[in-house]
Amino acid sequence: MSAACVIHTPEEIKKIRRACALTAQVRDALAKECRAGMSTREVDMLAGVLIAETGGRSAFRNYHGYPGEICISVNDEVVHGIGRDDRILQETDIVSLDLGVAIDGAVGDTAITLTLGAEPSADVKRLLEGTRRALERGIAAAVCGNYIRDISRAVEEVAREYRLGVVRDLVGHGVGTRLHEPPEVPNFVCPGKGPRLVPGMVLAVEPMFNLGTFRVTTDRVDGWTVRTCDHKWSAHFEHSILITENKPEILTWQKTT
C-alpha cells in the first residue's frame, strides 16, 4: 500500500471478487423488492436481511457512526439517506440504493437509482440515462496505463452532453479490503493526472449527477443526508471494478451462466 493507491494481492482479489459478487446479489434482489408504499426504513431492514443471508455484514452500518444498513436517497437526496419510518416511497419517486457487503476481510460497493412505477418525466429520463452512461464511459476509460484523470474526464464529458450538474463534494474511491481506500476518483477533471492505473487496483466509480446545481448540503438534523441545494433531483450509479492487464473487470456486475 502507498499513499497514492492500493495494489491488491491475488489472494485479496479473490476475496474482493466474492464480496463484490455478494454485494451485486443483494443490490439486484433489493431492487426487485423495492416499491411504492414501502417506508425507507422497511427497505433498509430488508437490505439487512438480504445482507445477513450472504454470511457477510453491512459495510456501511457504524462506518463513522452511520446508523443504517444501506444508504437510501430519494429524489433530491444525493447520497447517505437514512431509512425512516415516516418516509413512504411514492410511484413518482426515484430512489438511490447504495450498499456494500463486507465478508472475510473484503468489501464490495455499488449503487443504483430506480424508478418506482410512474412514467418518469423527460428530465428524469435524461438524468438517469446520463448518469448510467457516465458510469459506463468512466469504466471504459479505466484501462491499464491510463490515469485517474482519464476516468474523471470521461464521466464529466457525459455530464456536459446531458446538461447535468456534477457533484463535486463527493467522489469515487479505491475499495477492496476497506470501504474507502486511496485514490479518490473524482467525477470531474482536477489538476494533475492522479495515479496511473495498474493491475490490482480496485476502484469504486460512482457518478453523482443532478438536474440542477452541482452544489449540495448536508442535513443539519441527521448529519448524514446530502441533498441538492436547489432541491432538483439527483441520480447515483456505482460499480466496483478491478484494473487488469486488459479491460477493467466489473466486480459488481452479476455474472450469468
Side-chain angles (χ1 to χ4, degrees):
M1 182 183 301
S2 72
C5 63
V6 179
I7 310 301
H8 292 285
T9 67
E11 182 59 32
E12 287 173 339
I13 290 169
K14 182 179 179 181
K15 293 179 179 181
I16 293 166
R17 278 199 181 99
R18 179 185 179 215
C20 286
L22 293 173
T23 302
Q25 173 186 309
V26 172
R27 177 200 61 215
D28 293 349
L30 186 63
K32 288 180 181 178
E33 296 296 328
C34 186
R35 63 188 184 276
M38 295 179 73
S39 71
T40 55
R41 173 63 177 156
E42 287 176 309
V43 176
D44 189 67
M45 291 173 65
L46 176 57
V49 171
L50 293 170
I51 291 169
E53 288 175 351
T54 70
R57 61 175 178 82
S58 167
F60 291 10
R61 175 169 287 280
N62 296 323
Y63 184 76
H64 295 300
Y66 183 74
E69 300 289 344
I70 67 170
C71 300
I72 309 166
S73 306
V74 183
N75 299 341
D76 67 333
E77 297 170 354
V78 182
V79 288
H80 303 165
I82 301 168
R84 290 166 31 192
D85 290 321
D86 62 346
R87 186 65 183 271
I88 308 301
L89 296 174
Q90 307 298 314
E91 287 191 350
T92 51
D93 290 336
I94 61 172
V95 56
S96 297
L97 306 174
D98 185 6
L99 63 139
V101 173
I103 188 167
D104 195 21
V107 179
D109 192 8
T110 189
I112 189 171
T113 301
L114 309 170
T115 56
L116 294 178
E119 179 70 13
S121 68
D123 279 341
V124 171
K125 287 181 180 178
R126 172 167 57 88
L127 171 67
L128 296 175
E129 181 180 336
T131 313
R132 189 183 298 110
R133 185 160 296 181
L135 175 59
E136 294 169 356
R137 296 258 194 98
I139 292 172
V143 295
C144 182
N146 274 357
Y147 292 84
I148 290 294
R149 189 176 188 180
D150 294 303
I151 301 174
S152 302
R153 180 182 293 108
V155 171
E156 188 175 36
E157 285 175 351
V158 178
R160 289 200 298 268
E161 178 184 339
Y162 281 81
R163 308 184 313 282
L164 298 169
V166 182
V167 174
R168 303 178 74 88
D169 290 6
L170 301 148
V171 297
H173 51 90
V175 66
T177 56
R178 293 180 295 154
L179 181 59
H180 289 97
E181 299 174 349
E184 292 189 342
V185 186
N187 295 310
F188 52 93
V189 174
C190 298
K193 293 180 178 180
R196 185 173 180 270
L197 304 181
V198 298
M201 292 174 68
V202 180
L203 304 175
V205 180
E206 51 177 323
M208 291 162 273
F209 288 175
N210 303 337
L211 277 174
T213 180
F214 69 89
R215 298 184 185 282
V216 298
T217 185
T218 301
D219 190 287
R220 293 182 179 180
V221 176
D222 70 32
W224 284 100
T225 306
V226 177
R227 296 184 178 86
T228 60
C229 284
D230 58 8
H231 300 294
K232 292 186 178 181
W233 288 11
S234 183
H236 178 204
F237 289 87
E238 175 184 17
H239 274 309
S240 297
I241 66 170
L242 171 68
I243 306 303
T244 74
E245 295 284 358
N246 301 300
K247 63 181 181 180
E249 179 183 346
I250 303 175
L251 300 174
T252 47
W253 193 351
Q254 282 215 78
K255 311 300 189 295
T256 57
T257 56

